């Protein structure tokens, strides 16, 4: 299989941002023939930078899925092999899984790459976006209360400070650090009994994977002590959301999960509705969209919490305001602090 020149160049740039050096060990994890072109291009680019490449290709299990349902579960030989590398390129989706923790706890940094080429090329990471994301991270880490409001009626308050904060800027150059090539944003979690209020998922907001639909009428969530107690309205999308969550038969499915905001000026809100590549994307454009609020439900183990439910929904919200300890960070979807803003936006 020959390697596409544009893909090779793009992936080589990405590995340079990840500071891949001669003599380093780069592990590439794939399943079946899925993203085989990515595996081959990362292999060629890593070797071109002088790294030693290990390609771990495993059979995809029927019914396997992103995160806790991944195909690496119960395959200790593959896990051990990946532990003995310096950087793992995850082409299957290990996030929220104990297999990911087992690998990164041993020292390798890890980069998740799932999006189609058009998205990877457009959401090209840079040290400049890293600087802005790290400024956002510092602000969250120093705060104890996060509040989100919107013209549509959202008013929800998170007590924060007990769970980790995660920066995503699309590359990783520090031992044990995870990132995804999926735009720039920042997220943390509320204290497990410390989220109260109302979230209105407004018309035009997004329910991400596995639903991947724009909402046509407002869905109103009532939240008490960290749990959704009512999901009202929303027409078809409200019904889908209610059925999807009930299907897990798990009270923990209704917990509130991570919260944060997007900082990626190259993300496109309408991507899933307008791009021919939409069916290959997990909707990262909505997740990292500049000035969004990313609300989510379900597990919080990735942040150091105790909820390991397999029901997880990311729900990007547009035009919100966000406050940290009373200081306004977003105003109707506009990023206010100078250290986080893109010049001209
Ligand atoms: Fe999420």
């Amino acid at each position: 299989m020959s390697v596409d020149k544009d893909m090779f160049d793009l992936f080589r740039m990405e590995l340079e941002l990840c500071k891949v050096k001669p003599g380093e060990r780069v592990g590439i994890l794939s399943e079946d023939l899925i993203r085989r072109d990515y595996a081959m291009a990362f292999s060629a680019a890593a070797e071109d930078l002088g790294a030693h490449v290990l390609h771990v290709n495993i059979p995809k299990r029927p019914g396997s899925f992103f995160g806790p349902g991944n195909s690496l579960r119960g395959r200790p030989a593959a896990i051990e092999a990946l532990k003995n590398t310096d950087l793992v390129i995850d082409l299957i989706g290990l996030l929220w899984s104990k297999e990911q923790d087992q690998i990164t706890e041993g020292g390798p940094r890890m980069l998740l790459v799932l999006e189609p080429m058009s998205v990877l090329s457009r959401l090209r990471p840079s040290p400049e976006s890293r600087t802005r994301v790290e400024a956002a991270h510092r602000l969250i880490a120093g705060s104890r209360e996060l509040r989100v409001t919107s013209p549509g009626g959202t008013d929800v308050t998170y007590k924060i400070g007990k769970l980790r904060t995660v920066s995503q800027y699309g590359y990783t150059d520090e031992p044990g650090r995870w990132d995804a090539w999926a735009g720039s944003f920042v997220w943390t979690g509320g204290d497990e009994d410390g989220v109260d209020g109302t979230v209105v998922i407004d018309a035009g907001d997004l329910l991400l994977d596995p639903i991947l639909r724009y909402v046509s009428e407002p869905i109103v969530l009532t939240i008490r002590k960290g749990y959704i107690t009512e999901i009202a309205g929303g027409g078809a999308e409200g019904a889908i959301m209610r059925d999807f969550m009930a299907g897990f038969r798990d009270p923990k499915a209704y917990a509130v999960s991570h919260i944060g905001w997007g900082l990626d000026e190259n993300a496109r809100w309408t991507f899933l509705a307008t791009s021919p590549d939409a069916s290959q994307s997990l909707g990262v454009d909505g997740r990292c969209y500049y000035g969004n609020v990313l609300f989510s439900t379900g597990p919080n183990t990735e942040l150091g919490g105790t909820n390991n439910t397999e029901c997880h929904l990311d729900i990007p919200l547009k035009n919100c305001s966000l406050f940290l300890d009373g200081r306004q960070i977003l105003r109707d979807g506009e990023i206010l602090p100078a250290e986080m803003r893109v010049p001209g936006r």
Side-chain angles (χ1 to χ4, degrees):
M1 183 180 193
S2 62
V3 172
D4 180 85
K5 173 77 166 63
D6 290 344
M7 191 182 289
F8 173 86
D9 289 345
L10 188 66
F11 288 8
R12 193 181 189 284
M13 176 279 305
E14 177 72 10
L15 293 179
E16 284 184 307
L17 282 171
C18 293
K19 293 201 170 72
V20 169
K21 296 181 185 63
E24 270 201 319
R25 298 160 299 177
V26 174
I28 297 164
L29 173 64
S30 68
E31 55 190 359
D32 289 350
L33 295 177
I34 301 167
R35 300 186 184 86
R36 182 170 170 78
D37 52 344
Y38 284 16
M40 303 309 286
F42 269 119
S43 294
E47 289 209 324
D48 196 55
L49 290 169
H52 303 295
V53 174
L54 171 72
H55 182 187
V56 176
N57 182 256
I58 56 175
K60 181 171 171 59
R61 280 210 186 84
S64 66
F65 58 91
F66 183 89
N70 72 76
S71 292
L72 194 56
R73 180 163 291 183
R75 293 199 160 117
I79 294 170
E80 283 305 312
L82 292 168
K83 277 183 178 174
N84 285 308
T85 65
D86 300 294
L87 169 67
V88 173
I89 305 295
D90 171 14
L91 300 177
I92 77 171
L94 298 178
L95 185 62
W96 303 106
S97 73
K98 66 175 192 292
E99 291 73 27
Q100 172 167 317
D101 294 341
Q102 286 168 2
I103 293 167
T104 55
E105 278 166 7
R109 55 202 192 277
M110 184 180 286
L111 183 75
L112 174 65
V113 184
L114 298 178
E115 288 294 310
M117 266 295 283
S118 60
V119 175
L120 297 179
S121 180
R122 180 162 45 79
L123 300 183
R124 198 174 291 220
S126 72
E128 290 71 29
S129 61
R130 175 183 186 166
T131 300
R132 292 188 298 106
V133 169
E134 289 181 338
H137 185 132
R138 283 192 296 276
L139 268 184
I140 288 185
S143 302
R144 291 295 168 267
E145 184 191 273
L146 184 155
R147 180 177 172 223
V148 179
T149 64
S150 76
T154 295
D155 192 347
V156 63
T157 301
Y158 291 65
K159 291 178 188 155
I160 59 172
K162 290 184 178 163
L163 299 183
R164 283 198 315 129
T165 297
V166 176
S167 299
Q168 285 191 227
Y169 44 81
Y171 64 96
T172 178
D173 62 8
E174 298 163 10
R177 183 181 175 277
W178 175 90
D179 207 321
W181 191 345
S184 300
F185 58 113
V186 67
W187 41 290
T188 190
D191 299 353
E192 291 192 342
D193 61 351
V195 187
D196 290 276
T198 301
V199 170
V200 178
I201 308 168
D202 221 335
D205 287 340
L206 259 168
L207 302 176
L208 286 184
D209 54 293
I211 298 176
L212 290 172
R213 279 173 75 131
Y214 294 86
V215 168
S216 49
E217 340 176 355
I219 304 172
V220 181
L221 310 179
T222 303
I223 299 168
R224 297 279 178 264
K225 295 187 183 304
Y227 275 77
I228 296 168
T229 57
E230 186 183 8
I231 304 172
E237 290 78 22
I240 292 168
M241 184 177 175
R242 282 185 286 273
D243 279 4
F244 171 72
M245 296 182 80
F248 286 82
R249 302 185 193 289
D250 178 3
K252 299 197 300 294
Y254 293 91
V256 172
S257 180
H258 55 83
I259 184 75
W261 65 91
L263 294 114
D264 205 306
E265 75 279 19
N266 294 313
R268 294 181 187 159
W269 187 262
T270 56
F271 177 82
L272 288 177
T274 57
S275 170
D277 287 341
S279 63
Q280 299 168 48
S281 173
L282 292 174
V284 299
D285 278 87
R287 207 171 263 120
C288 67
Y289 183 79
Y290 187 81
N292 81 359
V293 163
L294 181 59
F295 169 79
S296 78
T297 66
N300 62 5
T301 48
E302 202 73 19
L303 298 167
T306 61
N307 189 337
N308 61 356
T309 181
E310 292 185 353
C311 178
H312 183 46
L313 273 180
D314 278 357
I315 305 174
L317 308 170
K318 237 182 159 189
N319 303 320
C320 290
S321 295
L322 185 145
F323 305 81
L324 288 172
D325 290 347
R327 177 187 173 188
Q328 189 160 15
I329 306 299
L330 304 180
R331 182 177 55 215
D332 299 337
E334 179 190 0
I335 297 176
L336 298 179
E339 66 271 29
M340 277 182 244
R341 287 180 69 109
V342 171
R345 287 290 297 258

